[in-house]
Amino acid sequence: TTFEIERTGSDPLNFELFDVVGKRVKVISNITFNRFTLNRDGLSDGIYIYKVRANKKPVGAGKLVVN
């Protein structure tokens, strides 16, 4: 799955993926491009919540469905 984030500034991004009970299941740190790919290996089918931050400030969030 490819994500594209619109942002201002050049601070690295951090991506976190959580399952429906709030357990963090994936982290991608120090993303320096506006586009990045999430490898779905190891993720069970279901609904996930993601958060994207720059300098600990929210940049984006949403839901991801894996099937």
Side-chain angles (χ1 to χ4, degrees):
T1 303
T2 300
F3 288 87
E4 189 164 342
I5 307 294
E6 290 185 27
R7 62 183 177 137
T8 58
S10 59
D11 294 327
L13 300 175
N14 292 311
F15 175 90
E16 295 177 296
L17 187 67
F18 301 88
D19 64 15
V20 291
V21 295
K23 179 181 174 189
R24 188 169 60 187
V25 295
K26 285 224 184 230
V27 175
I28 304 173
S29 299
N30 296 317
I31 301 165
T32 56
F33 297 98
N34 289 354
R35 181 183 288 207
F36 63 95
T37 301
L38 172 68
N39 186 339
R40 296 184 299 183
D41 289 349
L43 293 178
S44 300
D45 289 354
I47 298 172
Y48 295 86
I49 306 297
Y50 65 85
K51 296 180 182 180
V52 182
R53 301 176 194 264
N55 282 335
K56 300 183 181 179
K57 295 180 183 174
V59 174
K63 293 180 184 176
L64 173 68
V65 178
V66 175
N67 56 22

